[in-house]
Amino acid sequence: MRSDVTTKTDMRETKGFLMLQGAKVTSSFRDTLFDAANRAGMTPNEFVLQAAAEKLAASGRHFSGLFNPGDLDSARGA
């Protein structure tokens, strides 16, 4: 479902904070992550969360969106 076709229920969905602890990764992974996020025009946190959402959607999990209802087409099985 596209974001311009969200339902009233989706629009009322509440948002919540996601507190994650820091993780140690190799410097090459960190550099690659930051570069990819920059090229995508988002923060590394947004990039990682979008990747997690895409993986959850691919595994059959259903949710209305990532940052806003309907903003992740693959979450709707599209």
Side-chain angles (χ1 to χ4, degrees):
M1 178 179 278
R2 295 187 342 243
S3 61
D4 60 336
V5 189
T6 57
T7 65
K8 287 183 180 182
T9 303
D10 288 340
M11 296 179 86
R12 288 191 301 244
E13 186 170 345
T14 60
K15 295 180 182 177
F17 290 103
L18 178 62
M19 304 299 203
L20 300 174
Q21 295 291 328
K24 288 189 177 186
V25 296
T26 63
S27 58
S28 62
F29 178 82
R30 182 186 183 281
D31 292 345
T32 302
L33 170 63
F34 276 64
D35 181 59
N38 186 47
R39 291 175 187 266
M42 56 182 67
T43 68
N45 285 345
E46 291 169 329
F47 191 86
V48 169
L49 288 171
Q50 182 171 338
E54 290 169 356
K55 184 168 182 156
L56 289 168
S59 70
R61 302 290 182 126
H62 298 284
F63 46 94
S64 66
L66 178 55
F67 301 110
N68 292 298
D71 66 356
L72 187 66
D73 288 338
S74 61
R76 293 300 212 169

